Amino acid sequence: MRRKNLLLLCALAGALSLLATGCQNSAQTEEEIVLPRQEEETGGGEEAPQTEGEKQAAGGGAIADQVQAPERFTWEGGSEQVSVKADALVVIPEGEGFQSYKVTGRVFNQEDYDRVSQVLLKGEKLWERDMEVMGASNGWTAGEIEERIERLKKQKAEAEANGVKPMAFEGGKGKTYDELIAEWESMKENAPEEIIVGEVPVNVEYIESAEDRAENYISGQATVDGKDYFVSLDNNFRDDWKYIAFSVYNDEENSNFSFGASEGDIQSAGISVEEARRKALEDAAAMGFTDMAIDGEEYLTSVSFDEESDSGEAVTDAVGYGFHFTRMLDGIPVTYTHEVGGTMEGQDDVPWIYEEMSLVYTKDGFASFNWRNPYEVEKTSEEYVFLLPFAEIQNVFQEMIVKKYEDFFAESEVKVEFEIDEVRLGYMRVMEKGNTSEAQMVPVWDFFGKETLRYPDMSEPYISDGHYESWLTVNALDGTIIDRGFGY
């Protein structure tokens, strides 16, 4: 049996990663996860997916005339430590130009919940285990407890057969298997045969001065067409923590997707990408996301931890195909990247995560929805802003891509190689350092591709090959460098 409802665990892990002071997207300390290139992601003979930006690759119109960019950007250079090879498609949105917008954060409201619920949950009510009635068994049924006891007995026997001291760790405490089995046996005596539930009222409110986070948090289960979905809405948008999210996922498959997919996962997924894309667009429209469009899509996996193994190793629960929706401003998308924008330089800094809505589908249909940090957007001028010609942006890139990563790896003997395969112009939310009250939507150039790190004491290099890894972001107005981790 695998551990379900990992939302709190994943949220905690995400929070810890956000708090990694000074950790930028070039820091590679995790185990290698190589995401498939987007043109290879269909896993079959279907047409490769196109995001809103890709549909406008080498587009025409006033923007293209102004920046005078080539269809492909090619360049090779670098230093002894950092080498760069660029052979990249240049993606320019169609349109008359970029305009000025102000952005502020907002909390979720009842209308947000209702329109999502009507489409994804078919208006079904939320429920949870009635802990007042099931308190004696800590919310477990007799059958669930029996499964736990059998697993503990099996683990005890394996430990004894291997000559290992039969100790178990549950709830963070070390106990003997016999002690744990006795505790579960005592709970079983008063455990009901079936789950006893109570309805969860859904009143979406925001209490700015709430001392308890639970006052701005709603969670429960919803049963739709025989499937259970876990639902959570965290509305704790505070001065010291600007990260809120509304999530729905298939609880039976633990469909909390947050990991890249291997080639084997993709081949076995059995997903029709075309059908999934059609359903994503249909569901997004039905939920009222008319001001957002797909600007990224990829295979994803959800994992849980196998309680039957002593190592508690991660196990793939489901493989899905995910669609990342970003805001459209006058037909131009906010560029999607894997960077969520939670890096902080100092202890007093406050993360303000970027807005995004994602939908994930498996071969069986809808599996996961996640909407984080919605924006209020206000146009501040009808005038089109001036964009630097691409020749100047190119010069900035050639100098700064090398300098940025030489500085970052200054204390390391690592050799860094970049292969840039796409350059994209789009909007990005840019704030002033220390100001999370408001920000501006700014046109930027992103340079996407593959990073390879070669350490002298490692036989195999570390490769980061995600399609949505931007290795340098250049302000299209003035040529300054923007750090997507910091958001400025």
Side-chain angles (χ1 to χ4, degrees):
M1 181 179 179
R2 295 171 189 167
R3 188 171 304 153
K4 298 268 188 171
N5 293 350
L6 294 178
L7 183 64
L8 293 179
L9 176 62
C10 292
L12 178 60
L16 292 174
S17 67
L18 294 173
L19 293 171
T21 304
C23 182
Q24 303 175 41
N25 64 1
S26 56
Q28 309 293 349
T29 58
E30 302 176 358
E31 63 178 297
E32 181 176 345
I33 299 176
V34 181
L35 299 179
R37 300 301 298 167
Q38 187 172 20
E39 58 268 24
E40 298 171 351
E41 286 176 342
T42 56
E46 301 180 55
E47 179 184 353
Q50 284 188 313
T51 64
E52 284 299 317
E54 286 174 319
K55 291 176 183 176
Q56 303 175 76
I63 297 175
D65 292 341
Q66 185 176 4
V67 299
Q68 290 294 300
E71 291 186 4
R72 298 195 70 84
F73 165 55
T74 57
W75 177 74
E76 190 168 350
S79 65
E80 183 178 345
Q81 184 178 26
V82 179
S83 62
V84 184
K85 183 177 181 179
D87 183 5
L89 175 70
V90 179
V91 181
I92 303 172
E94 295 181 355
E96 293 303 307
F98 287 81
Q99 295 179 296
S100 299
Y101 291 88
K102 181 176 75 173
V103 176
T104 54
R106 73 167 180 88
V107 296
F108 296 110
N109 55 42
Q110 190 68 46
E111 181 185 356
D112 293 329
Y113 179 87
D114 291 344
R115 60 194 175 102
V116 171
S117 174
Q118 287 300 319
V119 175
L120 300 182
L121 303 176
K122 298 185 179 179
E124 294 288 348
K125 296 179 179 179
L126 295 192
W127 57 266
E128 63 182 356
R129 299 190 185 212
D130 192 328
M131 295 303 294
E132 289 188 12
V133 179
M134 300 181 68
S137 64
N138 204 24
W140 300 94
T141 66
E144 290 169 336
I145 292 175
E146 186 58 40
E147 287 183 9
R148 181 64 64 100
I149 291 171
E150 290 303 313
R151 184 166 65 251
L152 288 170
K153 289 180 178 179
K154 179 182 177 182
Q155 290 173 346
K156 176 188 174 184
E158 291 175 349
E160 290 175 340
N162 293 325
V164 178
K165 186 178 180 181
M167 293 290 290
F169 292 86
E170 188 167 275
K173 299 178 180 178
K175 299 180 180 180
T176 67
Y177 281 104
D178 288 337
E179 288 174 331
L180 283 176
I181 290 169
E183 289 178 7
W184 284 96
E185 288 281 9
S186 66
M187 281 195 292
K188 183 182 175 183
E189 294 176 4
N190 299 304
E193 294 299 321
E194 301 289 340
I195 297 173
I196 301 171
V197 303
E199 183 180 335
V200 176
V202 180
N203 299 311
V204 181
E205 299 178 337
Y206 175 61
I207 304 173
E208 186 174 3
S209 59
E211 296 183 2
D212 186 349
R213 292 179 63 89
E215 295 182 74
N216 288 323
Y217 184 80
I218 298 168
S219 69
Q221 309 276 127
T223 303
V224 184
D225 297 333
K227 295 181 180 179
D228 289 340
Y229 292 85
F230 182 75
V231 181
S232 69
L233 191 152
D234 185 348
N235 229 7
N236 284 286
F237 195 74
R238 308 186 319 233
D239 289 340
D240 61 343
W241 186 253
K242 298 197 169 182
Y243 185 6
I244 59 174
F246 178 13
S247 301
V248 178
Y249 69 84
N250 187 329
D251 191 40
E252 296 177 358
E253 292 184 340
N254 184 37
S255 299
N256 192 13
F257 293 90
S258 54
F259 298 91
S262 68
E263 189 63 34
D265 289 333
I266 293 171
Q267 295 300 324
S268 64
I271 298 171
S272 167
V273 172
E274 272 307 314
E275 176 60 21
R277 190 183 302 113
R278 182 196 65 78
K279 194 68 172 68
L281 292 171
E282 180 183 287
D283 286 345
M287 289 186 287
F289 290 99
T290 56
D291 54 356
M292 303 183 85
I294 297 171
D295 198 59
E297 50 187 271
E298 59 190 325
Y299 277 95
L300 297 166
T301 59
S302 67
V303 302
S304 63
F305 297 93
D306 190 350
E307 292 185 339
E308 295 186 7
S309 69
D310 292 333
S311 63
E313 62 185 11
V315 178
T316 297
D317 285 303
V319 180
Y321 197 77
F323 300 89
H324 306 287
F325 286 75
T326 63
R327 188 170 292 273
M328 297 284 286
L329 301 172
D330 296 324
I332 300 173
V334 175
T335 302
Y336 172 76
T337 77
H338 280 157
E339 177 57 65
V340 300
T343 308
M344 296 179 290
E345 289 186 276
Q347 292 183 341
D348 296 328
D349 287 350
V350 176
W352 181 12
I353 307 305
Y354 298 125
E355 177 188 55
E356 185 225 353
M357 188 274 284
S358 64
L359 285 162
V360 183
Y361 298 83
T362 66
K363 58 182 174 53
D364 297 319
F366 166 71
S368 174
F369 162 87
N370 188 65
W371 180 16
R372 70 183 186 219
N373 279 29
Y375 292 155
E376 290 282 3
V377 179
E378 175 188 349
K379 183 180 287 188
T380 57
S381 173
E382 295 293 336
E383 299 295 322
Y384 294 116
V385 299
F386 173 77
L387 303 177
L388 290 175
F390 184 77
E392 294 189 32
I393 300 298
Q394 175 181 327
N395 291 337
V396 171
F397 169 79
Q398 292 171 186
E399 176 184 355
M400 296 307 297
I401 186 71
V402 178
K403 178 174 173 37
K404 175 181 177 178
Y405 291 97
E406 278 185 334
D407 290 347
F408 189 87
F409 291 107
E411 304 301 321
S412 171
E413 296 182 6
V414 66
K415 300 291 186 181
V416 188
E417 302 168 5
F418 289 104
E419 296 176 42
I420 304 300
D421 60 13
E422 183 180 289
V423 183
R424 181 186 295 259
L425 176 62
Y427 278 107
M428 175 187 172
R429 190 207 72 197
V430 179
M431 64 183 187
E432 295 180 3
K433 177 177 168 54
N435 180 9
T436 57
S437 298
E438 64 179 41
Q440 305 297 318
M441 282 295 187
V442 175
V444 301
W445 290 94
D446 279 290
F447 292 79
F448 295 92
K450 178 170 74 173
E451 179 197 56
T452 301
L453 302 181
R454 302 186 187 277
Y455 290 90
D457 56 348
M458 293 175 62
S459 59
E460 295 294 328
Y462 179 95
I463 299 174
S464 182
D465 197 15
H467 189 69
Y468 302 106
E469 301 289 348
S470 175
W471 300 109
L472 197 73
T473 301
V474 183
N475 190 321
L477 304 178
D478 59 16
T480 55
I481 302 302
I482 300 171
D483 189 301
R484 280 190 169 271
F486 295 133
Y488 50 80

